[in-house]
């Protein structure tokens, strides 16, 4: 697990600043204005540190905290005398590298990674607010005014690599930004037209067709991940702890279909939904035939989930049959299926080809038992905060037979 922020001695800044961290290759590529880039002194050979390099209009300079004690910090006094911001990072140097986007915060004296080059789980965090209170919410909502994030995200998007394969837009509930969400997607269309965007939304506000229609044709690679936890309103509304959510989400799904959007249904495999998984899959196939993809997902054991273990947890070893049945029913009708957050040793081998390494690098870990496992390189592993209470009894290293070796 590689943290997404670190302590930093930040000087020369009055307000937080978003910067593209740059070494000499980023300077040479010239993709971003120098005024939006911070020179990463850790990546520049000291012989290349010339006053001409330092005098370029960098927005800031970044180095390691221990460089402050080095006798070769001529650049530091040069940078400070020019009045430009300097951030001296503490902790693992891998937390931030050239190509990443950092937010330097002078109030908290921290540097936060808002985009990590090469990471599989970069997220545009849309809002802390939500209109549902799902039993297993991993990111409990806060009712704060954060519409400022629209502008912030637009500035962030301008600094993300144009070659980035995929980004999620998540929260909270992103549609609470209203037209602001469309503004962010439009910004992605301008700067990241080849990036696959995946909006994770409960879909409840998209029944307002005026909102859903704003996304028609807005980005060439936009998909929506919408959760559905039951074939019956009472079950779905119970899991999301919000009366009326089932019918609102269905209206949202039909409005998205009318706006020619690509849709994935997400089912977190919590105990109440598992008990009616077969009926839920039948409901999706009959009523939502336009759905392209269904993701069946293990629980992330953090946030509200921790308070609801008894109500939510089911060991994958105990639901192999339901899982196989769901996959078979979807596959028969040509709906793509993926399994997220389910370690390979906990599911039947016939389902391994559908299991994805779905956990973002920064919160992904393996157990001691995994050290000798022959399939660790293609297993999702675990969320870093997994505890024995949330671990399947089936976890054990896989040994491949001679024919597979
Ligand atoms: S032992 Fe660990 S790495 Fe191997 S399949 Fe199980 S969880 Fe995955």
């Amino acid at each position: 697990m590689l943290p997404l922020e670190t302590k930093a001695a930040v000087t020369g800044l009055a307000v937080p600043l978003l910067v593209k961290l740059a070494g000499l290759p980023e300077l040479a590529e010239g993709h971003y204005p120098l005024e939006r880039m911070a020179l990463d002194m850790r990546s520049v050979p000291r012989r290349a540190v010339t006053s001409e390099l330092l005098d370029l209009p960098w927005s800031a300079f970044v180095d390691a905290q221990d460089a402050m004690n080095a006798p070769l910090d001529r650049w530091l006094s040069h940078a400070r005398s020019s009045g430009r911001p300097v951030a001296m990072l503490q902790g693992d140097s891998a937390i931030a590298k050239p190509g990443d986007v950092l937010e330097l915060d002078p109030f908290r004296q921290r540097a936060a990674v808002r985009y990590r080059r090469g990471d599989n789980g970069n997220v545009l965090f849309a809002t802390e607010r939500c209109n549902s209170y799902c039993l297993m919410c991993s990111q409990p909502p806060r009712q704060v005014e954060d519409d400022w994030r629209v502008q912030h995200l637009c500035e962030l998007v301008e600094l993300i690599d144009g070659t980035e394969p995929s980004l999620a837009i998540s929260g909270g509930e992103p549609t609470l930004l209203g037209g602001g969400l469309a503004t962010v997607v439009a910004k992605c269309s301008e700067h990241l037209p080849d990036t696959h965007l995946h909006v994770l939304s409960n879909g409840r506000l998209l029944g307002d067709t005026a909102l859903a229609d704003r996304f028609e044709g807005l980005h060439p690679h936009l998909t929506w991940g919408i959760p559905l936890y039951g074939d019956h309103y009472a079950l779905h509304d119970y899991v999301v702890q919000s009366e009326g959510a089932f019918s609102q989400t269905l209206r949202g799904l039909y409005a998205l279909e009318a706006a020619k959007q690509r849709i994935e249904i997400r089912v977190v495999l919590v105990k109440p939904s598992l008990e009616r998984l077969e009926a839920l899959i039948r409901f999706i196939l009959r009523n939502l035939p336009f759905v392209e993809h269904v993701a069946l997902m293990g629980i992330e054991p953090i946030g509200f989930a921790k308070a609801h273990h008894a109500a939510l947890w089911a060991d994958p070893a105990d639901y192999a049959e339901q899982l196989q049945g769901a996959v078979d029913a979807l596959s028969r009708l040509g709906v793509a299926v993926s399994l997220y957050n389910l370690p390979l040793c906990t599911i039947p081998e016939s389902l391994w080809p559908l299991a994805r390494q779905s956990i973002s690098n920064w919160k992904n870990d393996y157990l001691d038992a995994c050290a000798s496992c022959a399939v660790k390189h293609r297993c999702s592993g675990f969320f870093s905060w997994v505890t024995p209470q949330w671990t399947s009894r089936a976890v054990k290293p896989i040994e491949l037979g001679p024919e597979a070796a």
Side-chain angles (χ1 to χ4, degrees):
M1 171 172 164
L2 198 56
L4 283 174
E5 64 172 43
T6 185
K7 286 187 185 165
V10 181
T11 56
L13 265 183
V15 291
L17 178 70
L18 212 50
V19 293
K20 181 81 169 175
L21 202 50
L24 297 182
E26 286 73 24
L27 169 63
E29 285 161 11
H31 290 326
Y32 307 93
L34 280 163
E35 294 78 4
R36 307 274 323 261
M37 294 203 286
L39 182 60
D40 187 349
M41 299 303 297
R42 301 168 304 168
S43 72
V44 182
R46 292 294 161 174
R47 66 177 184 287
V49 180
T50 61
S51 48
E52 287 78 15
L53 180 70
L54 297 175
D55 285 340
L56 291 172
W58 304 102
S59 68
F61 297 93
V62 168
D63 205 341
Q65 176 77 44
D66 48 13
M68 284 184 85
N69 305 320
L72 39 68
D73 56 3
R74 179 178 55 85
W75 75 267
L76 188 56
S77 48
H78 190 100
R80 287 201 167 129
S81 65
S82 71
R84 279 179 289 169
V86 172
M88 309 298 283
L89 308 186
Q90 296 182 18
D92 188 338
S93 62
I95 291 173
K97 311 173 303 308
D100 296 351
V101 181
L102 285 188
E103 186 171 352
L104 307 177
D105 187 337
F107 306 121
R108 295 169 62 234
Q109 290 290 297
R110 298 187 81 85
V113 181
R114 299 301 181 209
Y115 166 75
R116 183 172 275 157
R117 177 179 281 176
D119 197 281
N120 67 345
N122 280 296
V123 173
L124 301 180
F125 187 77
T127 176
E128 292 192 59
R129 290 171 286 148
C130 193
N131 50 352
S132 294
Y133 294 90
C134 302
L135 290 172
M136 64 296 196
C137 178
S138 59
Q139 177 90 37
R142 291 200 315 139
Q143 300 308 322
V144 292
E145 166 48 54
D146 58 0
D147 282 351
W148 56 268
R149 288 182 187 275
V150 173
Q151 179 63 28
H152 184 262
L153 290 177
C154 288
E155 290 172 13
L156 172 56
V157 164
E158 290 171 353
L159 298 179
I160 291 175
D161 292 348
T163 53
E164 174 58 39
S166 68
L167 281 176
I169 301 181
S170 184
E173 171 49 45
T175 58
L176 287 170
L177 294 182
L181 179 60
T183 303
V184 173
V185 172
K187 186 60 123 175
C188 291
S189 194
E190 194 184 323
H191 287 270
L192 304 168
D194 299 323
T195 301
H196 177 209
L197 293 184
H198 199 53
V199 183
L200 302 178
S201 164
N202 60 37
R204 294 175 60 191
L205 296 179
L206 292 161
D208 169 3
T209 51
L211 179 58
D213 287 350
R214 292 196 59 171
F215 297 93
E216 184 168 349
L218 194 55
H219 190 286
H221 307 290
L222 174 63
T223 59
W224 296 81
I226 311 271
L228 203 58
Y229 298 118
D231 60 310
H232 186 275
Y233 78 91
L235 174 53
H236 181 85
D237 289 3
Y238 163 67
V239 174
V240 305
Q241 292 287 291
S242 303
E243 201 176 327
F246 181 74
S247 56
Q248 290 165 351
T249 294
L250 285 180
R251 276 199 289 273
L253 286 164
Y254 288 119
L256 284 176
E257 152 69 357
K260 303 186 178 61
Q261 300 297 290
R262 301 176 62 187
I263 299 168
E264 166 192 279
I265 294 288
R266 307 194 127 205
V267 183
V268 180
L269 299 166
V270 295
K271 200 194 294 183
S273 299
L274 273 163
E275 285 167 4
R276 291 193 59 81
L277 186 61
E278 188 183 342
L280 172 57
I281 298 301
R282 209 165 39 236
F283 180 90
I284 293 169
L285 290 171
R286 277 195 190 147
N287 299 296
L288 306 167
F290 45 83
V291 164
E292 285 187 14
H293 181 226
V294 173
L296 302 170
M297 308 171 58
I299 305 170
E300 181 169 359
I302 198 169
F304 287 161
K306 291 205 300 192
H308 301 125
H309 178 270
L312 299 176
W313 170 247
D315 188 328
D318 291 326
Y319 59 72
E321 209 175 305
Q322 289 110 298
L323 202 56
Q324 184 74 60
V327 166
D328 290 346
L330 291 162
S331 304
R332 259 196 307 276
L333 290 190
V335 179
V337 195
S338 297
L339 305 178
Y340 294 163
N341 318 337
L342 291 172
L344 295 178
C345 53
T346 69
I347 58 175
E349 195 169 341
S350 57
L351 298 178
W352 287 9
L354 304 176
R356 309 279 173 249
Q357 290 189 290
S358 47
I359 303 176
S360 307
N361 295 342
W362 68 270
K363 55 181 179 180
N364 192 194
D365 271 316
Y366 293 83
L367 303 182
D368 290 346
C370 307
S372 61
C373 180
V375 296
K376 182 180 173 190
H377 61 287
R378 58 187 174 112
C379 175
S380 72
F382 302 87
F383 290 98
S384 300
W385 26 83
V386 75
T387 61
Q389 199 184 26
W390 295 94
T391 305
S392 169
R393 66 177 186 277
V395 171
K396 76 166 204 227
I398 304 285
E399 288 175 36
L400 292 182
E403 67 286 356

